[in-house]
Amino acid sequence: MKNIYLVLLITTVLLSFQVSKAEERLKLSGKIQNIVIEDKKDSLHVFIKLKMSFKAVGNDSILLWKQTYPHDKNLRDKFLCVNSKILGFLAIAKEEKILYYQQCALPSIQRSAAWQEVKNEIDSKMLPSNQIQIIKSGEALDFDADWSFIFLKKKAINSNDPFWGYSSEYDVLSNEIKNAKDLSLQVTYRVWSSELESRSDIKHKKPFGKKLQKRWKKFGYLWLDDIVSEPISLDLNCATVINDEK
């Protein structure tokens, strides 16, 4: 009897693994191109340039809405950042921790007539090529990204100020981050705007997006969820350092 339970357990685990692998459709990875550190009197300002890549890893093509915020020239045709975080091991720590967390400033939900026009254009039986980017199975879509972080040299009263981009829970000082080991950067992007859904209180259900998912199934899988990147190796020792004591 015990052997039967063991076989059933192993079978369940294997099937669960197969299902999770089968459902894997899209990966987001990145590679750091350049790091510049401005060493100021009270803080370190870290500027990072990356090459990010969406890759369709499943059997289906992936459909990405590429407009994001068509009425804002600063956000148009850009994937929208949700948050970023730096993970690593502090010098005295044995476990990996989030050393820095930054919530990106998201545009407020407008539900304007202009957005209704965008929805009307998307709400089509045929795939609107000017709105949707197709990533075929096995192919990738690359894009550039810039990130910046600020690490204080001393504890500050205003460390909870949103200007600094982090909360006291992740209040890591500049000397701690420089001495930390195995640093990695992880970023989250939003590729389906809440503006396209009719009510903000049910936006997590995404009824409009899911309707299009079914309609466009023959073209590929319309991606609606926020996507978290794979950890991106971060080596601050490779940075160009600019001393600015002013």
Side-chain angles (χ1 to χ4, degrees):
M1 183 64 69
K2 289 183 178 180
N3 290 336
I4 293 175
Y5 285 135
L6 181 61
V7 171
L8 288 174
L9 177 61
I10 294 174
T11 303
T12 301
V13 171
L14 290 174
L15 287 174
S16 299
F17 176 76
Q18 291 173 355
V19 169
S20 65
K21 295 298 289 184
E23 291 177 347
E24 192 173 41
R25 301 172 185 266
L26 183 67
K27 281 188 176 181
L28 175 61
S29 59
K31 185 176 182 180
I32 293 176
Q33 304 290 305
N34 183 43
I35 307 175
V36 175
I37 296 178
E38 291 186 2
D39 191 346
K40 296 181 178 291
K41 181 180 179 180
D42 299 319
S43 60
L44 286 183
H45 292 222
V46 182
F47 301 91
I48 304 174
K49 290 186 177 295
L50 303 101
K51 179 70 71 175
M52 302 297 297
S53 180
F54 285 113
K55 185 173 183 179
V57 295
N59 296 323
D60 299 322
S61 296
I62 296 296
L63 311 179
L64 290 182
W65 185 55
K66 60 183 180 181
Q67 292 278 328
T68 310
Y69 271 75
H71 312 303
D72 187 330
K73 65 179 181 180
N74 295 318
L75 298 174
R76 186 186 305 132
D77 298 326
K78 293 182 180 179
F79 296 113
L80 192 65
C81 152
V82 177
N83 61 60
S84 60
K85 58 186 177 183
I86 293 177
L87 302 96
F89 295 82
L90 293 176
I92 59 173
K94 295 182 179 180
E95 296 181 355
E96 184 183 52
K97 293 184 178 180
I98 297 175
L99 305 181
Y100 188 103
Y101 180 86
Q102 182 171 271
Q103 189 77 29
C104 299
L106 301 177
S108 59
I109 296 177
Q110 300 172 3
R111 303 280 191 260
S112 63
W115 273 104
Q116 187 58 49
E117 292 178 4
V118 173
K119 285 188 65 174
N120 292 341
E121 183 178 352
I122 296 177
D123 195 2
S124 169
K125 291 184 179 180
M126 297 302 297
L127 202 65
S129 58
N130 63 324
Q131 297 268 10
I132 302 296
Q133 174 78 45
I134 301 177
I135 309 176
K136 294 181 179 179
S137 178
E139 295 184 351
L141 172 64
D142 298 335
F143 63 99
D144 296 321
D146 295 292
W147 297 90
S148 62
F149 304 90
I150 298 175
F151 297 95
L152 300 180
K153 293 185 177 181
K154 295 181 180 180
K155 297 284 184 180
I157 296 175
N158 65 344
S159 62
N160 286 326
D161 190 323
F163 170 80
W164 296 109
Y166 60 93
S167 68
S168 58
E169 184 180 356
Y170 311 112
D171 194 2
V172 177
L173 298 180
S174 60
N175 64 315
E176 294 175 309
I177 199 70
K178 286 193 295 185
N179 293 325
K181 298 179 180 179
D182 298 326
L183 292 178
S184 63
L185 171 65
Q186 204 163 26
V187 296
T188 303
Y189 279 92
R190 178 162 298 165
V191 296
W192 185 257
S193 175
S194 299
E195 299 278 7
L196 296 174
E197 300 298 336
S198 57
R199 294 177 57 193
S200 59
D201 60 338
I202 61 169
K203 64 182 180 181
H204 64 284
K205 296 182 179 179
K206 303 180 179 72
F208 178 65
K210 288 182 179 179
K211 179 182 75 172
L212 296 181
Q213 256 183 359
K214 293 179 180 179
R215 182 185 296 172
W216 295 340
K217 187 176 180 181
K218 62 181 179 181
F219 301 109
Y221 181 83
L222 178 63
W223 194 268
L224 303 175
D225 300 321
D226 293 353
I227 181 166
V228 182
S229 76
E230 296 180 324
I232 303 166
S233 179
L234 175 60
D235 185 0
L236 297 181
N237 293 320
C238 297
T240 300
V241 180
I242 301 173
N243 290 303
D244 184 4
E245 295 293 334
K246 297 180 180 180

